[in-house]
Amino acid sequence: MAGRVKLVVPCSSDAFQSESGPPLKGHFRADVNRTMAELLKFLSKHQSPFFVNISPFFSHHSTKNISLNFALFKGTAGPHNGSYRTYKNSFDLSYDTLVSALSSAGFDKMDIVISQIGWPTDGAANASSSNAQVFMKGLVDHLHSRAGTPLRPKEPPIETYIYSLFDEDHRSIASGNFERHWGVFTFDGQAKYQLDLEQGSRKLVNAQNVQYLSSKWCVVNNNQNLSNATARAMEACSSADCSVLSPGGSCFNLSWPGNISYAFNSYYQQHDQRADSCDFGGLGLITTVDPSVGTCRFIVQLRTPNSALCLSFTISHWRITAATILLWLVVGGF
């Protein structure tokens, strides 16, 4: 009811599977079967939908038989056939595997909400802004068409939530460095690509009047003995975010010691440009010359939350994005 707190339990896509391949054979994993049965009974009793996180990128990244074109909704992708049904994209394949799992559990009519879906823009091969833009366009077009899936034709998910608004530089990278780069916006509120949410002429709006710290960077001092530089960089990356240095990342091609400089600067900016955070045993050097190379951006940190200017930016930025792009929610029937 309107006056009650609503409870949702987003389910990871690895909770259901189909060993033989076709979605029609989908079922919940044996080790979570009992928990899922209890959850489904509760949701059904309260007429609540099932919330699920779906990640076509992760399916492509971890499964050799899911091609990039198939994950990106590209019509040139070779179709997957199963149980006399043809699948043209990874999203429908995952969605119908869940539909089958719900059916096998006795809840074939339960509504589905996509609680999290997106495409990362850095930190791994094929995690890029250009691919994210292609994926998002394909997803929005697919939802807007209301075509549904082979097992639920003309019945798209009742709601779909895009993940995510910003990158998260402290997010766990246990499953891959790309986990810190799901944002449609950069950490300082700049759109990574254009995204049409079928909301007329409204486009993504960059944050205005962003307040940064001074234009200073921490780089490696080439006049020093750099025999210990790699070890120092690893220490920096143990607490700072160096995920873009991973294979396929935007800074992966930085030659040594450029990659060392990136690690030093990431740590330096994370610590609000304190002079002692660019020491590294005498190997660090503060410079006013931007060391960014090509698409590899050496960031300058925003002003700290204690700053009134930063607080003003945060409030105005959220007002802009909430009013103009409705980024969090793409409704299946918009």
Side-chain angles (χ1 to χ4, degrees):
M1 307 302 287
R4 296 181 180 178
V5 175
K6 296 180 180 180
L7 171 69
V8 299
V9 185
C11 177
S12 173
S13 57
D14 67 356
F16 52 91
Q17 58 191 10
S18 175
E19 288 90 349
S20 57
L24 200 60
K25 300 293 184 180
H27 59 87
F28 291 107
R29 288 196 339 249
D31 58 318
V32 299
N33 216 22
R34 181 175 179 180
T35 300
M36 295 309 303
E38 294 175 353
L39 173 62
L40 291 169
K41 289 178 182 177
F42 175 85
L43 294 176
S44 179
K45 177 181 178 181
H46 295 280
Q47 298 181 324
S48 297
F50 186 86
F51 281 67
V52 62
N53 300 339
I54 289 182
S55 179
F57 173 81
F58 194 77
S59 297
H60 161 68
H61 185 70
S62 60
T63 309
K64 293 182 178 179
N65 65 344
I66 300 296
S67 72
L68 179 62
N69 285 346
F70 189 72
L72 291 177
F73 291 92
K74 287 190 174 181
T76 55
H80 285 228
N81 297 309
S83 305
Y84 305 104
R85 292 173 174 83
T86 299
Y87 289 86
K88 298 181 179 180
N89 61 76
S90 178
F91 172 79
D92 285 356
L93 198 70
S94 296
Y95 191 88
D96 273 2
T97 302
L98 171 61
V99 170
S100 294
L102 290 172
S103 181
S104 65
F107 299 90
D108 57 308
K109 300 298 183 182
M110 181 167 285
D111 288 330
I112 297 174
V113 169
I114 307 300
S115 49
Q116 178 176 302
I117 189 169
W119 194 276
T121 59
D122 212 333
N126 297 319
S128 66
S129 295
S130 58
N131 281 340
Q133 184 172 26
V134 171
F135 174 79
M136 289 298 189
K137 182 181 187 306
L139 174 65
V140 172
D141 288 348
H142 186 48
L143 295 173
H144 186 63
S145 73
R146 298 194 60 81
T149 63
L151 291 185
R152 285 195 176 180
K154 306 300 181 183
E155 294 183 32
I158 59 176
E159 292 176 351
T160 299
Y161 290 84
I162 293 174
Y163 183 77
S164 66
L165 195 60
F166 295 105
D167 291 344
E168 300 175 73
D169 62 350
H170 288 286
R171 183 176 171 85
S172 170
I173 55 175
S175 59
N177 287 327
F178 58 86
E179 290 288 5
R180 293 182 174 175
H181 300 279
W182 293 96
V184 175
F185 286 87
T186 58
F187 77 101
D188 50 354
Q190 309 304 301
K192 297 178 183 178
Y193 52 88
Q194 272 307 317
L195 175 60
D196 183 1
L197 295 179
E198 302 290 341
Q199 296 291 327
S201 61
R202 287 178 288 184
K203 303 293 183 180
L204 302 190
V205 177
N206 291 334
Q208 304 297 313
N209 303 316
V210 182
Q211 300 296 317
Y212 298 91
L213 297 179
S214 300
S215 295
K216 297 188 298 184
W217 297 264
C218 178
V219 297
V220 67
N221 188 344
N222 290 306
N223 294 321
Q224 299 294 322
N225 181 349
L226 301 183
S227 60
N228 196 37
T230 299
R232 289 289 187 173
M234 291 179 65
E235 292 175 9
C237 291
S238 66
S239 60
D241 179 27
C242 298
S243 56
V244 298
L245 293 172
S246 58
S250 61
C251 297
F252 174 62
N253 290 325
L254 279 181
S255 59
W256 192 93
N259 52 357
I260 305 297
S261 290
Y262 186 91
F264 283 6
N265 186 65
S266 181
Y267 185 90
Y268 174 65
Q269 301 296 340
Q270 184 187 71
H271 290 81
D272 298 323
Q273 297 185 352
R274 291 202 322 261
D276 62 348
S277 65
C278 187
D279 183 34
F280 300 106
L283 298 182
L285 174 69
I286 296 175
T287 179
T288 57
V289 178
D290 187 350
S292 299
V293 179
T295 58
C296 178
R297 177 187 180 190
F298 280 60
I299 68 167
V300 172
Q301 186 60 277
L302 302 177
R303 292 191 183 277
T304 62
N306 293 327
S307 166
L309 289 172
C310 182
L311 180 61
S312 175
F313 153 69
T314 302
I315 294 173
S316 63
H317 175 71
W318 279 93
R319 185 180 300 121
I320 289 171
T321 55
T324 59
I325 66 174
L326 303 176
L327 185 61
W328 291 110
L329 178 63
V330 179
V331 182
F334 55 89

